[in-house]
Amino acid sequence: MKIPYRLSFALLGSLIFTTCNAATLDDVLDSYQAAGATTFSAARGETLWTTDHPDPESPGKVRNCSTCHGKDLSQPGRHVNTGKEIEAMAPSVNDKRYTNAKTIEKWFTRNCKWVLGRECMPQEKGDVLSYLRTK
Amino acid sequence: MSRILIWDIPTRIFHWSLALAFAAAWLSSLDNRFLYAHTYAGYAFLGLLLFRLWWGVVGSRYARFRAFAYDWPSVRAYLAALATGRATRYLGHNPAGSWSILFLLALGLMVSTAGVLVLGGEEGHGPLAGYIPFQAGDYAHVVHEAGAWLMLAVVTLHIGGVVIESTLHGENLVRTMITGYKKNPGGPGAGVRAAGTTGAILLATLITAGLIYLKGYLMETPEQPYVPYSGPMLPDNATWRSECGDCHLAFHPSLLPVRSWRRMMLTLSDHFGEDVALDAGTAAEIEAFLTANAAEALASEPAHRILASIAADQIPLRVTDTVYWKRKHSGIDDKYWTAQKVGHRSNCKGCHLDADAGTFEDAGMRLPVSAAADASRATSSNP
């Protein structure tokens, strides 16, 4: 089969891009295991994602990940304080998700502190990512 | 009964266009959102006045300044006669009318020239943008407004005079200014030529200029609203925009003073209840951008106004805490704040189309239409 010259570059580019994305997420997961995590479980990740935690600012209220990201991960979320739209978390509808290790760490650090009141363990982060990548 | 042409076509078009521009300028001055329409009305006004100055020299007999150059004694004599109800009938302008018109022409030139100064100084728009200091624009604003009120007073006198004289001589002077004709008193003094070509050119110029100027509004769609903007764009920074813009609108540095941004960057670990600490390199880049372009850089009208409204001992961390912001938003109905498109006071973008750019143009303000519609539906469906 003869593939047009330009199309061959496009195909090659998208192949490299896809591989790199998967590589980023796998690299991140590998780094968590290197930091002491064992095997990852999407089910544990889902539990962590949906567990309520007390809101230190308003007694009686709770926070969880869907407070800002919404219940349906294929839909955009909304920042609970500012109302700004947050792009969908599901990689199936948002291919920019989980493509940059630095960004992944930044948001884990920030949002674990807000929801849990502490930073997440490598095991927890790996579980959550394993859950999110299936969406 | 024979009649005689007094007002040529250009004079009549000038008169009614000027009246229209004056009314449009007054109405559009009532809300900042209509600044763009106000500006067009002002340009049209100034252009018409300049045309009239030229037409006062080359126009037909009664349109020429020579025809209404009366000295004070003749004005006094006319007014005295008017008081007794026996004022002389003039084919052209009477002495008192002449003076009020000359006064209106001078006032109009002053008001519209001052307007161009305000536009350049305060808004950074128009032909004088960048040449007029903000403060000078503020002074011109005082002249602009005082002049406009004075003009309104003279216009009222002018209309009063027309009514009195029309009654006195049993002659509808408003209709005269539309048709151009008056009753022929007989004797010497022929009518004037119509000068239709000049009138057609004048009218075509006004309409074409308006279409070009307001073209953006005529072509806008709900998805692509038109934000007329002719001022300088404000400085931007990709790191600032992405880091600050992740969770909220990236509030432009020009909206708060240096001291506010310094404190903000020192307290990132508790940023309105959230720990948003940044790595040192990113934080340094953002802080440099924020402090270099803070309100003190005076790059926009909001920067000037906000800065002036903050007491020296205050360090506001929210734009919505500044006196200027509160004053500017005090009259806004709750239904707009709770509209889905807005939802939160920090969501400038809900109404300000250019909030991302930080320019906050007067003409960039659009109250959410759906909110008004929702509210009116809710009211009307109430039993």
Side-chain angles (χ1 to χ4, degrees), chain B residues 110-165:
Chain B
M110 183 189 85
V111 169
S112 42
T113 309
V116 178
L117 292 174
V118 180
L119 195 68
E122 287 187 350
E123 308 291 336
H125 290 196
L128 298 180
Y131 298 105
I132 310 294
F134 188 84
Q135 202 58 49
D138 257 6
Y139 291 134
H141 207 148
V142 176
V143 175
H144 186 64
E145 281 192 13
W149 279 107
L150 199 54
M151 267 196 90
L152 194 60
V154 181
V155 165
T156 312
L157 286 177
H158 167 68
I159 294 171
V162 168
V163 171
I164 292 172
E165 205 188 318

Side-chain angles (χ1 to χ4, degrees), chain A residues 81-82 84 106 110 113, chain B residues 243 245-247 274-275 344:
Chain A
N81 285 331
T82 67
K84 170 133 182 154
K106 172 183 153 180
R110 208 176 264 190
K113 281 183 183 172
Chain B
E243 290 295 334
D246 271 334
C247 296
E274 230 177 302
D275 182 348
H344 197 278

Side-chain angles (χ1 to χ4, degrees), chain A residues 8-80:
Chain A
S8 67
F9 272 98
L11 286 173
L12 185 64
S14 58
L15 184 68
I16 292 171
F17 183 73
T18 322
T19 320
C20 284
N21 282 356
T24 300
L25 191 43
D26 287 333
D27 287 346
V28 169
L29 291 173
D30 286 347
S31 74
Y32 293 152
Q33 278 171 340
T38 57
T39 49
F40 296 121
S41 149
R44 273 203 308 272
E46 181 171 9
T47 309
L48 184 62
W49 185 268
T50 52
T51 304
D52 289 337
H53 299 269
D55 181 344
E57 280 170 22
S58 13
K61 283 196 169 178
V62 291
R63 293 172 173 178
N64 63 37
C65 301
S66 64
T67 307
C68 292
H69 290 295
K71 299 264 188 256
D72 182 354
L73 295 178
S74 66
Q75 293 294 316
R78 198 167 281 278
H79 191 286
V80 70

Side-chain angles (χ1 to χ4, degrees), chain B residues 254-274:
Chain B
S254 59
L255 301 174
L256 284 174
V258 172
R259 59 185 186 276
S260 295
W261 295 122
R262 291 236 163 89
R263 175 167 288 185
M264 192 95 64
M265 295 307 288
L266 279 174
T267 54
L268 286 183
S269 56
D270 184 13
H271 187 70
F272 306 101
E274 230 177 302

